[in-house]
Amino acid sequence: MSILLIYLGDRFNRRFLVLLTGWIWLIFVAASSFIPSNFFILFLALRSLSAIADSTIIIIAPTMISDFFVGKPRSYALTIFYMFISVGISIGLVVGTIFIQIQADWQWSLRIVPIFGLPVMILSTIFLKEPTRGEMEEKIGTGLDQEPSSFLENIKVILPIKTYWFSTGALVCFNFVNRANSWWQTTLMQNGMAATNGTNAWHGVTLPEMQSVISVAGIITGLRWRDGLYPFCCFSPPSSRSSSLTAAILSAIGVPCTFLYVWGTGHDVYLSMTGAILTGICNAAMIPLALETILSVVPPLQRGSACALLYLIQSATGDAPAPAIIGAISDAIRNGADDDESRWNALSTALYFSIGVAVFTSLFMFISAIFFPRDSLQGKKREEYEDVK
């Protein structure tokens, strides 16, 4: 679907596509909560269509942002976009915990979404504008004259851009770790709590309380990262490697923090909370910084295809495979043992494997920083100018 969406996004009004799919997503999410249990196929169909609409926004919106801004202001704009995705996820976890505590029907977790989404869609319909593709690059003299082309032709343009592929590799590794940890988070906590029963490892903290603390910290992190990144986005050199280097450093710091979070679930809940919060802080800026690097090296008319290919690879390698791979490793380590301690040891050890994958996130972003100066659009423009001379 991502290839089809980008084909449409490259040729038609992106504002119309974003608004159309946004309204479809809002309506279908609400409608799916009222489907009776004997119409399960219809429920799956509505959830699938809402997922397609959601992916349309995630794929097309960054290409629109890249045409509104250039350089470090673009980093700041992308940070705001992705930070509020993280904030929304964290709010969803908090609301879900509240529903569990008041024993409300699970359908209300879907019905509450339109309450938040409706005003956003109304404001977007009124104020969202369609930017000219490559407008900001043209204003500063780094634009490249191009016409819309097929997806395969776009891939031929993207293929020699080393910075794109290493940044994509970093995001693929990041997505693998993130999906695995988020999927197994609750099970890891439950196993850790059961394995340490009778000790002070959890200090009387309940599972909903820990999840709420981590989620609230995620909300605060998302809102404050925006302000913390502002000086970096506005004052670092516009053609520097600062985005990729910052992402590499933060992801490297996040590796031991993730280890502390996993290890702490079976030893000390406060250490686990600390590790989870620090991991969230380090990971919060990874996606916008890596994507800003990608958008800086890919020509404007290939950005849609670049984002579609990125999300296609991410989905194929992380969204479903990552939890399954970690689960298979855990089962192999456990080898049939069914006691609480064996379950926690097996799952935590399997998650240590995913932490090892996180090392490559940092490594690939460091390599991206090496290739960035030559691959950047400013560098390409200078090369073209020299060829003409």
Side-chain angles (χ1 to χ4, degrees), residues 151 154-172 244 290-299 302-314 364-365 367-369 371-372 374-376 380:
F151 180 76
N154 288 339
I155 296 302
K156 291 178 182 178
V157 175
I158 297 169
L159 199 59
I161 304 176
K162 297 181 180 66
T163 302
Y164 170 80
W165 292 107
F166 281 107
S167 297
T168 295
L171 285 173
V172 167
S244 47
L291 194 58
E292 196 277 332
T293 300
I294 287 174
L295 294 174
S296 295
V297 298
V298 176
Q302 276 72 48
R303 286 173 183 160
S305 297
C307 289
L309 183 61
L310 165 63
Y311 291 120
L312 181 64
I313 297 173
Q314 278 189 328
F364 287 152
M365 287 311 300
I367 297 175
S368 294
F371 290 111
F372 180 84
R374 182 169 181 81
D375 287 339
S376 67
K380 287 183 179 179

Side-chain angles (χ1 to χ4, degrees), residues 3-142:
I3 297 175
L4 174 61
L5 294 173
I6 285 305
Y7 177 86
L8 297 175
D10 283 344
R11 288 159 177 78
F12 299 99
N13 187 288
R14 290 172 293 180
R15 175 185 179 274
F16 172 77
L17 291 173
V18 167
L19 292 177
L20 175 64
T21 53
W23 282 110
I24 290 174
W25 171 80
L26 198 68
I27 294 169
F28 284 5
V29 166
S32 64
S33 69
F34 295 98
I35 304 300
S37 58
N38 57 325
F39 288 91
F40 183 65
I41 299 300
L42 178 58
F43 173 80
L44 287 181
L46 290 177
R47 295 300 297 154
S48 299
L49 291 172
S50 64
I52 293 172
D54 178 57
S55 65
T56 302
I57 298 173
I58 293 176
I59 291 172
I60 294 180
T63 68
M64 296 179 68
I65 292 173
S66 68
D67 287 330
F68 280 120
F69 305 95
V70 71
K72 295 310 165 186
R74 179 186 290 164
S75 295
Y76 188 52
L78 289 170
T79 298
I80 294 174
F81 177 75
Y82 283 103
M83 288 309 97
F84 276 100
I85 291 178
S86 299
V87 168
I89 293 172
S90 298
I91 292 175
L93 292 174
V94 172
V95 173
T97 301
I98 294 173
F99 283 152
I100 291 174
Q101 292 175 337
I102 64 176
Q103 297 182 337
D105 293 334
W106 64 267
Q107 287 91 339
W108 282 103
S109 62
L110 298 177
R111 293 169 187 167
I112 200 172
V113 171
I115 298 175
F116 294 101
L118 184 59
V120 174
M121 287 308 305
I122 292 174
L123 291 173
S124 298
T125 302
I126 296 172
F127 295 107
L128 182 62
K129 305 300 181 184
E130 169 72 7
T132 303
R133 291 174 176 84
E135 178 181 6
M136 295 307 299
E137 278 83 1
E138 291 176 4
K139 286 183 178 180
I140 65 173
T142 60

